[in-house]
Amino acid sequence: FLLARADVLREAGKFERAISALEDFLEKADEAAPFIKALRTRDGDDDPMPAFKRRVKYMMSGLYIDADNVDKSAEVLRELIKEEPDNPTYYNDLGFVLADHGRKLDE
């Protein structure tokens, strides 16, 4: 429900409230673990929860951009890079977030 709520709020332009819904989800994600584990990840992991939580955090990074909070978006992307350093999507997004906003161009 919280994920669907976040989508509706994003579409309505209520970005801060959508972020809040995703934060609530991450706090309560372990309660949904049996349902999420039933989904399995595309890699066939025994525990899809870490990947699922990363997807939610990735969604949050985009919402932070929508809410014009570049610093928080970059922070979330850096956290994701630490969690999954071989994922080029996070590096690419971080580069564009920083470049599009004229920040840390040397990075």
Side-chain angles (χ1 to χ4, degrees):
F1 169 75
L2 290 169
L3 295 176
R5 183 171 189 253
D7 281 340
V8 170
L9 290 166
R10 182 180 201 166
E11 289 298 318
K14 299 177 189 240
F15 306 122
E16 294 296 333
R17 290 179 60 194
I19 291 166
S20 180
L22 292 180
E23 288 171 343
D24 288 348
F25 172 80
L26 288 173
E27 288 177 15
K28 299 173 183 176
D30 292 332
E31 295 173 24
F35 302 105
I36 295 168
K37 287 180 180 181
L39 298 175
R40 299 276 182 239
T41 64
R42 62 181 168 198
D43 299 328
D45 293 341
D46 289 334
D47 184 5
M49 283 300 291
F52 194 81
K53 287 179 181 180
R54 282 192 302 272
R55 277 185 253 143
V56 171
K57 289 178 186 177
Y58 182 68
M59 290 168 37
M60 286 176 67
S61 73
L63 277 167
Y64 280 119
I65 290 297
D66 292 340
D68 200 30
N69 191 339
V70 176
D71 293 332
K72 190 65 177 171
S73 178
E75 177 184 321
V76 170
L77 289 166
R78 285 186 182 101
E79 289 174 14
L80 288 168
I81 288 169
K82 286 180 185 174
E83 292 176 24
E84 194 177 20
D86 294 333
N87 188 325
T89 300
Y90 304 146
Y91 292 97
N92 186 62
D93 281 18
L94 179 59
F96 274 103
V97 163
L98 296 174
D100 286 350
H101 296 87
R103 302 205 181 161
K104 298 187 180 185
L105 297 176
D106 56 326
E107 186 178 343

